[in-house]
mmCIF file of all heavy atoms in Angstrom:
data_model
loop_
_atom_site.group_PDB
_atom_site.id
_atom_site.type_symbol
_atom_site.label_atom_id
_atom_site.label_comp_id
_atom_site.label_asym_id
_atom_site.label_seq_id
_atom_site.Cartn_x
_atom_site.Cartn_y
_atom_site.Cartn_z
ATOM 1 N N ALA A 283 19.637 18.653 -31.618
ATOM 2 C CA ALA A 283 20.321 19.894 -32.185
ATOM 3 C C ALA A 283 21.542 20.221 -31.389
ATOM 4 O O ALA A 283 22.633 20.572 -31.933
ATOM 5 C CB ALA A 283 19.345 20.946 -32.207
ATOM 6 N N VAL A 284 21.377 20.230 -30.044
ATOM 7 C CA VAL A 284 22.568 20.531 -29.247
ATOM 8 C C VAL A 284 23.637 19.490 -29.378
ATOM 9 O O VAL A 284 24.923 19.794 -29.485
ATOM 10 C CB VAL A 284 22.153 20.521 -27.713
ATOM 11 C CG1 VAL A 284 23.314 20.725 -26.797
ATOM 12 C CG2 VAL A 284 21.167 21.637 -27.531
ATOM 13 N N ALA A 285 23.374 18.226 -29.468
ATOM 14 C CA ALA A 285 24.298 17.137 -29.826
ATOM 15 C C ALA A 285 25.099 17.374 -31.103
ATOM 16 O O ALA A 285 26.332 17.139 -31.171
ATOM 17 C CB ALA A 285 23.727 15.785 -29.737
ATOM 18 N N VAL A 286 24.344 17.830 -32.119
ATOM 19 C CA VAL A 286 24.996 18.135 -33.375
ATOM 20 C C VAL A 286 25.983 19.247 -33.266
ATOM 21 O O VAL A 286 27.100 19.240 -33.793
ATOM 22 C CB VAL A 286 24.023 18.411 -34.492
ATOM 23 C CG1 VAL A 286 24.597 18.953 -35.726
ATOM 24 C CG2 VAL A 286 23.164 17.165 -34.762
ATOM 25 N N VAL A 287 25.596 20.280 -32.545
ATOM 26 C CA VAL A 287 26.433 21.484 -32.307
ATOM 27 C C VAL A 287 27.669 21.030 -31.523
ATOM 28 O O VAL A 287 28.788 21.487 -31.889
ATOM 29 C CB VAL A 287 25.715 22.547 -31.526
ATOM 30 C CG1 VAL A 287 26.620 23.662 -31.100
ATOM 31 C CG2 VAL A 287 24.586 23.182 -32.399
ATOM 32 N N GLN A 288 27.540 20.055 -30.511
ATOM 33 C CA GLN A 288 28.661 19.598 -29.790
ATOM 34 C C GLN A 288 29.616 18.892 -30.744
ATOM 35 O O GLN A 288 30.834 19.086 -30.573
ATOM 36 C CB GLN A 288 28.107 18.773 -28.679
ATOM 37 C CG GLN A 288 29.234 18.080 -27.787
ATOM 38 C CD GLN A 288 28.745 17.184 -26.851
ATOM 39 O OE1 GLN A 288 27.622 16.713 -26.982
ATOM 40 N NE2 GLN A 288 29.535 16.870 -25.782
ATOM 41 N N TRP A 289 28.993 18.091 -31.606
ATOM 42 C CA TRP A 289 29.858 17.360 -32.471
ATOM 43 C C TRP A 289 30.581 18.173 -33.552
ATOM 44 O O TRP A 289 31.734 17.977 -33.789
ATOM 45 C CB TRP A 289 28.933 16.313 -33.287
ATOM 46 C CG TRP A 289 29.665 15.583 -34.319
ATOM 47 C CD1 TRP A 289 30.272 14.253 -34.123
ATOM 48 C CD2 TRP A 289 29.815 15.769 -35.634
ATOM 49 N NE1 TRP A 289 30.801 13.838 -35.277
ATOM 50 C CE2 TRP A 289 30.543 14.625 -36.330
ATOM 51 C CE3 TRP A 289 29.401 16.921 -36.514
ATOM 52 C CZ2 TRP A 289 30.874 14.643 -37.641
ATOM 53 C CZ3 TRP A 289 29.694 16.786 -37.857
ATOM 54 C CH2 TRP A 289 30.462 15.667 -38.363
ATOM 55 N N ALA A 290 29.910 19.313 -33.958
ATOM 56 C CA ALA A 290 30.474 20.177 -34.932
ATOM 57 C C ALA A 290 31.636 21.035 -34.264
ATOM 58 O O ALA A 290 32.658 21.280 -34.956
ATOM 59 C CB ALA A 290 29.435 21.156 -35.552
ATOM 60 N N LEU A 291 31.436 21.444 -33.065
ATOM 61 C CA LEU A 291 32.405 22.193 -32.398
ATOM 62 C C LEU A 291 33.526 21.410 -31.800
ATOM 63 O O LEU A 291 34.420 21.958 -31.161
ATOM 64 C CB LEU A 291 31.734 23.107 -31.279
ATOM 65 C CG LEU A 291 30.745 24.069 -31.864
ATOM 66 C CD1 LEU A 291 30.162 24.950 -30.763
ATOM 67 C CD2 LEU A 291 31.460 25.091 -32.938
ATOM 68 N N ALA A 292 33.468 20.056 -31.826
ATOM 69 C CA ALA A 292 34.380 19.115 -31.219
ATOM 70 C C ALA A 292 34.563 19.287 -29.788
ATOM 71 O O ALA A 292 35.711 19.166 -29.229
ATOM 72 C CB ALA A 292 35.750 19.222 -31.897
ATOM 73 N N ILE A 293 33.433 19.543 -29.023
ATOM 74 C CA ILE A 293 33.405 19.666 -27.602
ATOM 75 C C ILE A 293 33.400 18.166 -27.019
ATOM 76 O O ILE A 293 32.496 17.496 -27.424
ATOM 77 C CB ILE A 293 32.233 20.517 -27.143
ATOM 78 C CG1 ILE A 293 32.422 21.984 -27.680
ATOM 79 C CG2 ILE A 293 32.204 20.533 -25.585
ATOM 80 C CD1 ILE A 293 31.210 22.901 -27.355
ATOM 81 N N GLN A 294 34.255 17.889 -26.230
ATOM 82 C CA GLN A 294 34.390 16.526 -25.741
ATOM 83 C C GLN A 294 33.084 16.091 -24.942
ATOM 84 O O GLN A 294 32.493 16.866 -24.270
ATOM 85 C CB GLN A 294 35.534 16.428 -24.690
ATOM 86 C CG GLN A 294 36.924 16.501 -25.317
ATOM 87 C CD GLN A 294 37.172 15.273 -26.247
ATOM 88 O OE1 GLN A 294 36.714 14.035 -25.914
ATOM 89 N NE2 GLN A 294 37.869 15.383 -27.399
ATOM 90 N N PRO A 295 32.709 14.884 -25.217
ATOM 91 C CA PRO A 295 31.524 14.351 -24.544
ATOM 92 C C PRO A 295 31.638 14.335 -23.094
ATOM 93 O O PRO A 295 32.804 14.037 -22.599
ATOM 94 C CB PRO A 295 31.237 13.023 -25.220
ATOM 95 C CG PRO A 295 32.106 12.993 -26.497
ATOM 96 C CD PRO A 295 33.253 13.914 -26.181
ATOM 97 N N GLY A 296 30.575 14.394 -22.324
ATOM 98 C CA GLY A 296 30.630 14.274 -20.900
ATOM 99 C C GLY A 296 29.490 13.527 -20.428
ATOM 100 O O GLY A 296 28.632 12.968 -21.137
ATOM 101 N N PRO A 297 29.321 13.480 -19.067
ATOM 102 C CA PRO A 297 28.077 12.735 -18.511
ATOM 103 C C PRO A 297 26.823 13.196 -18.975
ATOM 104 O O PRO A 297 25.833 12.524 -18.969
ATOM 105 C CB PRO A 297 28.318 12.898 -16.981
ATOM 106 C CG PRO A 297 29.795 13.214 -16.815
ATOM 107 C CD PRO A 297 30.226 13.963 -17.987
ATOM 108 N N ALA A 298 26.759 14.516 -19.340
ATOM 109 C CA ALA A 298 25.461 15.110 -19.672
ATOM 110 C C ALA A 298 24.923 14.464 -21.007
ATOM 111 O O ALA A 298 23.731 14.570 -21.371
ATOM 112 C CB ALA A 298 25.638 16.612 -19.965
ATOM 113 N N ASP A 299 25.872 13.846 -21.801
ATOM 114 C CA ASP A 299 25.457 13.257 -23.120
ATOM 115 C C ASP A 299 24.315 12.021 -22.915
ATOM 116 O O ASP A 299 23.874 11.554 -23.839
ATOM 117 C CB ASP A 299 26.568 12.852 -23.866
ATOM 118 C CG ASP A 299 27.348 13.971 -24.434
ATOM 119 O OD1 ASP A 299 26.967 14.480 -25.571
ATOM 120 O OD2 ASP A 299 28.377 14.504 -23.844
ATOM 121 N N VAL A 300 24.346 11.656 -21.625
ATOM 122 C CA VAL A 300 23.377 10.588 -21.448
ATOM 123 C C VAL A 300 21.881 11.053 -21.704
ATOM 124 O O VAL A 300 21.020 10.200 -21.750
ATOM 125 C CB VAL A 300 23.497 9.957 -19.933
ATOM 126 C CG1 VAL A 300 22.882 11.089 -18.963
ATOM 127 C CG2 VAL A 300 22.792 8.685 -19.717
ATOM 128 N N ALA A 301 21.782 12.453 -21.831
ATOM 129 C CA ALA A 301 20.439 12.935 -22.054
ATOM 130 C C ALA A 301 19.898 12.380 -23.506
ATOM 131 O O ALA A 301 18.723 12.359 -23.618
ATOM 132 C CB ALA A 301 20.544 14.488 -22.110
ATOM 133 N N VAL A 302 20.870 12.096 -24.387
ATOM 134 C CA VAL A 302 20.345 11.610 -25.656
ATOM 135 C C VAL A 302 19.727 10.210 -25.489
ATOM 136 O O VAL A 302 18.677 9.968 -26.058
ATOM 137 C CB VAL A 302 21.628 11.400 -26.655
ATOM 138 C CG1 VAL A 302 21.221 10.757 -27.912
ATOM 139 C CG2 VAL A 302 22.264 12.774 -26.908
ATOM 140 N N VAL A 303 20.279 9.358 -24.593
ATOM 141 C CA VAL A 303 19.652 8.066 -24.489
ATOM 142 C C VAL A 303 18.280 8.178 -23.734
ATOM 143 O O VAL A 303 17.292 7.501 -24.000
ATOM 144 C CB VAL A 303 20.649 7.102 -23.547
ATOM 145 C CG1 VAL A 303 19.990 5.789 -23.284
ATOM 146 C CG2 VAL A 303 21.972 6.949 -24.372
ATOM 147 N N LEU A 304 18.218 9.162 -22.706
ATOM 148 C CA LEU A 304 17.041 9.408 -22.017
ATOM 149 C C LEU A 304 15.919 9.949 -22.997
ATOM 150 O O LEU A 304 14.735 9.724 -22.873
ATOM 151 C CB LEU A 304 17.271 10.411 -20.828
ATOM 152 C CG LEU A 304 18.194 9.835 -19.706
ATOM 153 C CD1 LEU A 304 18.415 10.835 -18.665
ATOM 154 C CD2 LEU A 304 17.590 8.591 -19.106
ATOM 155 N N ALA A 305 16.389 10.878 -23.850
ATOM 156 C CA ALA A 305 15.423 11.350 -24.801
ATOM 157 C C ALA A 305 14.842 10.228 -25.687
ATOM 158 O O ALA A 305 13.613 10.268 -26.122
ATOM 159 C CB ALA A 305 16.079 12.475 -25.653
ATOM 160 N N VAL A 306 15.794 9.313 -26.182
ATOM 161 C CA VAL A 306 15.258 8.240 -26.984
ATOM 162 C C VAL A 306 14.181 7.436 -26.199
ATOM 163 O O VAL A 306 13.065 7.036 -26.763
ATOM 164 C CB VAL A 306 16.409 7.308 -27.404
ATOM 165 C CG1 VAL A 306 15.901 6.002 -28.068
ATOM 166 C CG2 VAL A 306 17.344 8.032 -28.349
ATOM 167 N N TYR A 307 14.404 7.179 -25.001
ATOM 168 C CA TYR A 307 13.494 6.463 -24.171
ATOM 169 C C TYR A 307 12.177 7.245 -24.040
ATOM 170 O O TYR A 307 11.099 6.631 -24.137
ATOM 171 C CB TYR A 307 14.076 6.227 -22.766
ATOM 172 C CG TYR A 307 12.968 5.799 -21.771
ATOM 173 C CD1 TYR A 307 12.684 4.453 -21.618
ATOM 174 C CD2 TYR A 307 12.388 6.638 -20.927
ATOM 175 C CE1 TYR A 307 11.666 3.990 -20.712
ATOM 176 C CE2 TYR A 307 11.398 6.302 -19.943
ATOM 177 C CZ TYR A 307 11.010 4.910 -19.864
ATOM 178 O OH TYR A 307 10.199 4.607 -19.044
ATOM 179 N N ALA A 308 12.247 8.574 -23.786
ATOM 180 C CA ALA A 308 11.044 9.396 -23.674
ATOM 181 C C ALA A 308 10.144 9.382 -24.884
ATOM 182 O O ALA A 308 8.970 9.255 -24.867
ATOM 183 C CB ALA A 308 11.432 10.781 -23.208
ATOM 184 N N VAL A 309 10.856 9.456 -26.090
ATOM 185 C CA VAL A 309 10.040 9.631 -27.294
ATOM 186 C C VAL A 309 9.432 8.190 -27.557
ATOM 187 O O VAL A 309 8.216 8.133 -27.996
ATOM 188 C CB VAL A 309 10.922 10.105 -28.475
ATOM 189 C CG1 VAL A 309 10.165 9.937 -29.805
ATOM 190 C CG2 VAL A 309 11.513 11.366 -28.219
ATOM 191 N N ALA A 310 10.097 7.135 -27.249
ATOM 192 C CA ALA A 310 9.565 5.842 -27.504
ATOM 193 C C ALA A 310 8.406 5.525 -26.572
ATOM 194 O O ALA A 310 7.501 4.772 -26.892
ATOM 195 C CB ALA A 310 10.601 4.749 -27.307
ATOM 196 N N ALA A 311 8.465 6.073 -25.380
ATOM 197 C CA ALA A 311 7.387 5.888 -24.325
ATOM 198 C C ALA A 311 6.230 6.704 -24.484
ATOM 199 O O ALA A 311 5.090 6.354 -24.307
ATOM 200 C CB ALA A 311 8.053 5.908 -22.985
ATOM 201 N N TYR A 312 6.395 8.100 -24.801
ATOM 202 C CA TYR A 312 5.401 9.043 -24.727
ATOM 203 C C TYR A 312 5.167 9.722 -26.052
ATOM 204 O O TYR A 312 4.158 10.553 -26.072
ATOM 205 C CB TYR A 312 5.718 10.104 -23.666
ATOM 206 C CG TYR A 312 5.976 9.451 -22.299
ATOM 207 C CD1 TYR A 312 7.348 9.444 -21.863
ATOM 208 C CD2 TYR A 312 5.012 8.813 -21.585
ATOM 209 C CE1 TYR A 312 7.678 8.931 -20.661
ATOM 210 C CE2 TYR A 312 5.336 8.384 -20.263
ATOM 211 C CZ TYR A 312 6.669 8.384 -19.858
ATOM 212 O OH TYR A 312 6.962 7.792 -18.661
ATOM 213 N N GLY A 313 6.043 9.617 -27.076
ATOM 214 C CA GLY A 313 5.775 10.286 -28.292
ATOM 215 C C GLY A 313 5.007 9.549 -29.277
ATOM 216 O O GLY A 313 4.540 8.454 -29.148
ATOM 217 N N ALA A 314 4.828 10.113 -30.502
ATOM 218 C CA ALA A 314 4.164 9.470 -31.599
ATOM 219 C C ALA A 314 5.025 8.458 -32.203
ATOM 220 O O ALA A 314 6.247 8.403 -31.954
ATOM 221 C CB ALA A 314 3.809 10.506 -32.648
ATOM 222 N N ARG A 315 4.366 7.462 -32.807
ATOM 223 C CA ARG A 315 5.115 6.407 -33.421
ATOM 224 C C ARG A 315 6.208 6.789 -34.435
ATOM 225 O O ARG A 315 7.324 6.274 -34.429
ATOM 226 C CB ARG A 315 4.143 5.363 -34.113
ATOM 227 C CG ARG A 315 4.788 4.215 -34.797
ATOM 228 C CD ARG A 315 5.686 3.412 -33.840
ATOM 229 N NE ARG A 315 4.962 2.771 -32.775
ATOM 230 C CZ ARG A 315 5.473 1.965 -31.931
ATOM 231 N NH1 ARG A 315 6.758 1.806 -31.769
ATOM 232 N NH2 ARG A 315 4.713 1.335 -30.929
ATOM 233 N N TRP A 316 5.882 7.752 -35.276
ATOM 234 C CA TRP A 316 6.828 8.234 -36.223
ATOM 235 C C TRP A 316 8.035 8.942 -35.647
ATOM 236 O O TRP A 316 9.165 8.704 -36.015
ATOM 237 C CB TRP A 316 6.198 9.164 -37.228
ATOM 238 C CG TRP A 316 5.646 10.515 -36.678
ATOM 239 C CD1 TRP A 316 4.421 10.761 -36.143
ATOM 240 C CD2 TRP A 316 6.428 11.688 -36.512
ATOM 241 N NE1 TRP A 316 4.406 12.044 -35.657
ATOM 242 C CE2 TRP A 316 5.566 12.572 -35.879
ATOM 243 C CE3 TRP A 316 7.843 12.083 -36.749
ATOM 244 C CZ2 TRP A 316 6.015 13.917 -35.419
ATOM 245 C CZ3 TRP A 316 8.220 13.379 -36.361
ATOM 246 C CH2 TRP A 316 7.364 14.224 -35.725
ATOM 247 N N ALA A 317 7.758 9.580 -34.482
ATOM 248 C CA ALA A 317 8.879 10.239 -33.752
ATOM 249 C C ALA A 317 9.691 9.244 -33.119
ATOM 250 O O ALA A 317 10.913 9.363 -32.948
ATOM 251 C CB ALA A 317 8.227 11.341 -32.763
ATOM 252 N N SER A 318 9.084 8.156 -32.623
ATOM 253 C CA SER A 318 9.867 7.038 -31.907
ATOM 254 C C SER A 318 10.857 6.402 -32.964
ATOM 255 O O SER A 318 12.033 6.183 -32.573
ATOM 256 C CB SER A 318 8.861 6.063 -31.334
ATOM 257 O OG SER A 318 9.588 4.957 -30.788
ATOM 258 N N ILE A 319 10.287 6.069 -34.002
ATOM 259 C CA ILE A 319 11.215 5.431 -35.108
ATOM 260 C C ILE A 319 12.349 6.332 -35.555
ATOM 261 O O ILE A 319 13.479 5.962 -35.717
ATOM 262 C CB ILE A 319 10.367 4.943 -36.242
ATOM 263 C CG1 ILE A 319 9.286 3.949 -35.785
ATOM 264 C CG2 ILE A 319 11.192 4.231 -37.338
ATOM 265 C CD1 ILE A 319 9.936 2.673 -35.250
ATOM 266 N N GLY A 320 11.895 7.646 -35.703
ATOM 267 C CA GLY A 320 12.889 8.531 -36.184
ATOM 268 C C GLY A 320 13.906 8.779 -35.147
ATOM 269 O O GLY A 320 15.208 8.999 -35.527
#
Side-chain angles (χ1 to χ4, degrees):
V284 175
V286 170
V287 172
Q288 180 186 15
W289 179 86
L291 297 179
I293 299 175
Q294 286 295 323
D299 287 276
V300 74
V302 175
V303 179
L304 296 178
V306 171
Y307 168 84
V309 176
Y312 307 107
R315 175 59 66 180
W316 64 268
S318 173
I319 301 299

